[in-house]
Amino acid sequence: MEKASGFGHPGGVSDAWTPDSWRDHPADQQPDWPDLSLLEQSLKTLANLPPLVFAGEARSLRSALGSVAAGEAFLLQAGDCAESFHDFSADSIRDKLRVILQMAVVLTYGAGVPVVKLGRIAGQFAKPRSSPYEIVDGVELPSFRGHVVNDDAPTPEARVPDPGRLLTAYHQSASTLNLLRAFTKGGFADLSQVHVWNQQFVADSPGGRDYEALAAEIERALRFMRACGVDLAGAALHQVDFWTSHEALILGYEEAMTRRDSLTGDWYDTSAHLLWVGERTRRLDGAHIEFLSGVSNPIGAKIGPSAEPETVVELCDRLDPGRDPGRLTLITRMGAGKVAAKLPVLLRAVRDSGHPVVWACDPMHGNTFVGAGGRKTRHFDHVVAEIREFFAVCREEGVWPGGVHVELTGDHVTECLGGTDEILENDLDLRYTTTCDPRLNGRQSLDLAFQVADLLRH
Ligand code: PEP
Ligand code: CO
């Protein structure tokens, strides 16, 4: 296959783009696979396996995100920081889905805007790391890079990258997606189930009680409409559109999952509906941007506090040369207290460049710190503060605050501080189970949804 860089073409996607043209660009954060023939075998097998999502679904998400870009809908992107090969059960998938459904109902009913539901799920297995090595209990080990690469156990053997994991990640993604499809289309996500989504430990909290009241109102409204003779049989009340996303980090995996759509002839990365590029891998001359520039999925890009307006506009030119609403979502992760200084200039530059992007706020990754006991954590108040700052700045600039991007679990974990439960540093050890970053638990997630609904209403 002819390979050319494609870099520097003014129109963005160059004619020379191919699923493997990223290989001619510097690729950050790629594992040092010890056995290249085994890697090749795994990638070959992957390339022959069925796609996980269809191009038409990715196009539907792109059109839904187009409504967000137009200020007519809100994006809720949520899920694990890193999915785990060890914690993989129907219950954990169900509980994650139901907290996302609860949040979406709070946002839709509470604020009156349609919510685009996008999971960090069914493929979120790869993690960028700030250093190739980490110290665990005084021992230096190769960093854990997500279960698609190596294992988190603190031994040198566990940390060796294993290409067989690429296939395990595919199969776990397929099973997860299968269950999500069943739940969202098969009755579990039916609006008549709003009460059932409230797990016991959530229902007992103040947010859970507010949610019960809201669910009762929805049920009353449904009864009212039925009594008036409104036909409620359509899919809108009984099924949910739920999409998947992950960071497109391990480019061999993404390349192997990239297929040409038979309907349009366009290339799609069929490993998820939306792929995003992380803060650490979005250099303009890099392999990740080259790869994502050529697939037709909706794309996300993380934008941290060091991003310059010119760079962000160039990123838009590379990823959204056609200025298509829904193609590009910029996910800002500045840190509470930094938004007012960093974001307005970016909002203006992108607006002036004519790229109709979705602006979403990730209030998690700029607010991580290591607590006194050595646990990585985040404070609920900082998370809320960054979202408030995001809304305020967007409104000042006349830009639609299009969404939030959060790390959460349905479980009753103690990973993030604060919230109505007032989780304290001493509590972190109680139920700290994340494989990577600290997640909001079910109660904190629901509380957050009520606060965001409030912001959307006012
Ligand atoms: C993430 O979303 O898990 C992540 C690593 O984010 P960022 O690239 O913004 O640091
Ligand atoms: Co994370």
Side-chain angles (χ1 to χ4, degrees):
M1 205 178 299
E2 192 205 344
K3 285 208 222 152
S5 80
F7 171 57
H9 285 249
V13 186
S14 81
D15 293 342
W17 187 92
T18 55
D20 68 349
S21 54
W22 64 268
R23 292 180 185 271
D24 293 336
H25 297 253
D28 293 326
Q29 299 281 343
Q30 302 306 288
D32 230 341
W33 303 103
D35 186 337
L36 291 180
S37 67
L38 211 58
L39 172 66
E40 208 162 302
Q41 251 177 44
S42 284
L43 293 177
K44 221 166 158 184
T45 307
L46 261 183
N48 286 311
L49 286 166
L52 291 173
V53 305
F54 299 110
E57 296 177 314
R59 280 192 287 276
S60 303
L61 173 59
R62 217 168 135 156
S63 128
L65 289 169
S67 308
V68 178
E72 291 156 7
F74 192 74
L75 169 66
L76 172 62
Q77 188 175 9
D80 270 310
C81 178
E83 288 176 273
S84 164
F85 284 2
H86 307 310
D87 170 27
F88 172 45
S89 67
D91 285 1
S92 76
I93 296 166
R94 181 201 58 203
D95 293 345
K96 226 171 295 169
L97 175 65
R98 64 180 169 188
V99 77
I100 295 173
L101 292 176
Q102 281 190 289
M103 292 176 81
V105 159
V106 168
L107 290 164
T108 313
Y109 191 80
V113 283
V115 173
V116 177
K117 296 165 266 301
L118 177 61
R120 283 176 66 114
I121 198 166
Q124 176 50 28
F125 290 111
K127 297 315 299 172
R129 302 313 301 257
S130 14
S131 157
Y133 292 93
E134 61 190 337
I135 311 275
V136 186
D137 297 332
V139 183
E140 190 182 64
L141 293 167
S143 293
F144 169 56
R145 292 181 175 275
H147 279 160
V148 67
V149 177
N150 56 9
D151 195 73
D152 52 305
T155 65
E157 304 76 49
R159 298 298 172 90
V160 177
D162 170 7
R165 290 176 168 269
L166 295 162
L167 297 171
T168 312
Y170 169 90
H171 290 295
Q172 184 162 321
S173 300
S175 322
T176 304
L177 194 53
N178 181 55
L179 195 59
L180 288 170
R181 290 187 194 280
F183 280 145
T184 52
K185 301 295 177 188
F188 181 79
D190 193 304
L191 208 50
S192 65
Q193 303 294 310
V194 273
H195 276 299
V196 181
W197 302 337
N198 212 7
Q199 291 191 78
Q200 201 50 52
F201 84 90
V202 178
D204 289 344
S205 70
R209 285 190 284 276
D210 289 347
Y211 176 82
E212 280 298 316
L214 182 144
E217 274 184 46
I218 290 174
E219 285 184 341
R220 211 165 33 241
L222 290 175
R223 276 200 304 276
F224 172 72
M225 285 192 282
R226 215 172 280 121
C228 292
V230 178
D231 182 6
L232 301 181
L237 297 178
H238 306 292
Q239 299 188 354
V240 157
D241 284 331
F242 186 87
W243 283 284
T244 61
S245 67
H246 62 256
E247 178 172 353
L249 188 70
I250 307 299
L251 290 172
Y253 179 86
E254 304 302 338
E255 176 193 332
M257 293 305 296
T258 297
R259 317 285 162 83
R260 203 189 267 281
D261 173 36
S262 56
L263 289 177
T264 60
D266 294 332
W267 290 98
Y268 282 85
D269 182 345
T270 64
S271 70
H273 299 112
L274 177 143
L275 289 312
W276 80 82
V277 60
E279 169 70 356
R280 292 165 192 77
T281 49
R282 61 170 170 74
R283 54 188 279 194
L284 291 165
D285 61 346
H288 293 82
I289 296 300
E290 168 64 14
F291 174 75
L292 290 174
S293 73
V295 295
S296 296
N297 307 60
I299 300 297
K302 293 289 200 83
I303 305 291
S306 66
E308 298 293 338
E310 304 75 43
T311 316
V312 176
V313 169
E314 268 186 76
L315 191 70
C316 293
D317 291 342
R318 286 298 313 281
L319 294 178
D320 174 39
R323 292 175 163 72
D324 292 323
R327 159 66 171 172
L328 183 59
T329 296
L330 296 180
I331 306 160
T332 69
R333 28 92 83 225
M334 302 294 173
K338 294 194 188 141
V339 181
K342 302 285 178 185
L343 189 57
V345 61
L346 304 182
L347 297 180
R348 276 176 233 145
V350 172
R351 185 185 46 211
D352 294 348
S353 73
H355 289 283
V357 304
V358 169
W359 285 101
C361 172
D362 165 358
M364 314 296 291
H365 289 89
N367 293 310
T368 316
F369 63 94
V370 178
R375 293 282 195 194
K376 231 204 270 187
T377 189
R378 292 154 174 164
H379 200 292
F380 184 77
D381 293 348
H382 300 161
V383 170
V384 173
E386 181 162 352
I387 296 178
R388 282 185 189 286
E389 292 167 24
F390 172 78
F391 268 75
V393 164
C394 285
R395 287 196 166 137
E396 231 156 79
E397 296 299 325
V399 168
W400 172 241
V404 290
H405 176 122
V406 288
E407 290 182 341
L408 56 73
T409 166
D411 301 338
H412 198 183
V413 298
T414 53
E415 298 172 4
C416 290
L417 302 170
T420 45
D421 273 353
E422 262 313 322
I423 295 176
L424 303 172
E425 294 218 8
N426 280 341
D427 303 324
L428 290 180
D429 278 336
L430 291 176
R431 289 178 301 278
Y432 192 98
T433 59
T434 183
T435 18
C436 194
D437 287 342
R439 304 157 297 175
L440 300 172
N441 65 29
R443 289 182 178 181
Q444 291 167 327
S445 302
L446 197 54
D447 282 350
L448 187 71
F450 276 107
Q451 305 227 21
V452 175
D454 228 33
L455 284 167
L456 276 168
R457 243 191 330 257
H458 296 111

